[in-house]
Amino acid sequence: MKILGIGSRIKHVELGLGVITNVTNKHYWVTFIENGIETIDLDSDFKVIEAIDGEVDTVSFYEVEKTLKSLLMCWSDITPNVAIADKWKGGKLIMEPSTQTQSKEVPIETFFHKIVMVRDRLRVMEQKINASNLEETEKIELQQYITRIYGSLTTFNVLFKSTNDYFVGEKSK
């Protein structure tokens, strides 16, 4: 079976006249005159009115987007959304100085977002250290510093909705 190119015109048995607007490894996306956009199987029952030749990329935009997101998650500081615990939603962090100066209020979601960014950037740093050309002893030393940083940040674990997102420092033996 030859795959039709984008722009090919077809007449589907049930849906009528249409133009192929996208091709995946399993489906044609067709804009039909009377039925709008529909996806049909590559081996559906239709008549080819005009075939457009040319190479067809059988990877859908969805598959490309999914792959790109996966790569970005792995190699950059872009991460999935991390949920704040319900009890903190809409709350605020109030910092009061010991002197008679003005206190500072910050929405807790803003503060939480910054904590998550710190954690994510530490993870990226870990990846870069592990992939670097440093000596193993240097890598281990830097990893120990990062582990201690995570330990210092465990205070903020109360903000996370899921325990899977917690900071974890050195475990006691």
Side-chain angles (χ1 to χ4, degrees):
M1 172 180 78
K2 183 178 180 204
I3 296 179
L4 297 171
I6 293 172
S8 296
R9 296 185 320 147
I10 64 169
K11 182 174 183 177
H12 190 272
V13 174
E14 297 170 7
L15 301 169
L17 295 172
V19 176
I20 296 173
T21 55
N22 192 17
V23 182
T24 69
N25 57 348
K26 296 179 183 174
H27 301 99
Y28 290 118
W29 291 27
V30 184
T31 302
F32 290 99
I33 293 172
E34 295 180 15
N35 294 293
I37 298 174
E38 297 284 340
T39 56
I40 61 172
D41 292 335
L42 293 177
D43 60 354
S44 291
D45 190 16
F46 59 83
K47 177 182 173 189
V48 177
I49 296 173
E50 179 184 355
I52 302 293
D53 290 331
E55 290 187 29
V56 175
D57 184 2
T58 57
V59 177
S60 71
F61 290 119
Y62 170 78
E63 291 164 327
V64 171
E65 182 181 25
K66 190 170 86 172
T67 302
L68 183 58
K69 281 182 181 177
S70 174
L71 287 169
L72 287 172
M73 300 275 287
C74 184
W75 297 105
S76 76
D77 60 355
I78 296 174
T79 59
N81 291 336
V82 177
I84 190 169
D86 292 337
K87 69 180 180 180
W88 300 110
K89 289 181 181 174
K92 58 186 165 188
L93 176 67
I94 302 170
M95 295 177 273
E96 292 186 15
S98 62
T99 61
Q100 293 295 331
T101 56
Q102 186 175 359
S103 62
K104 173 78 174 173
E105 290 186 10
V106 178
I108 233 164
E109 284 94 346
T110 302
F111 180 74
F112 177 72
H113 177 69
K114 292 184 183 297
I115 294 294
V116 170
M117 287 189 325
V118 167
R119 186 199 60 183
D120 294 341
R121 290 185 176 137
L122 281 170
R123 288 180 177 171
V124 172
M125 185 185 299
E126 279 184 294
Q127 291 172 349
K128 290 187 181 232
I129 289 168
N130 290 332
S132 73
N133 295 329
L134 293 170
E135 297 291 326
E136 281 306 308
T137 55
E138 292 173 306
K139 286 182 183 182
I140 291 169
E141 184 179 333
L142 291 171
Q143 283 292 348
Q144 288 173 343
Y145 278 111
I146 290 173
T147 300
R148 286 186 218 121
I149 292 168
Y150 282 138
S152 299
L153 295 169
T154 57
T155 301
F156 302 113
N157 285 344
V158 297
L159 297 172
F160 292 93
K161 185 171 191 169
S162 171
T163 58
N164 294 334
D165 295 319
Y166 280 9
F167 289 104
V168 178
E170 290 181 293
K171 306 262 186 197
S172 50
K173 296 179 183 178

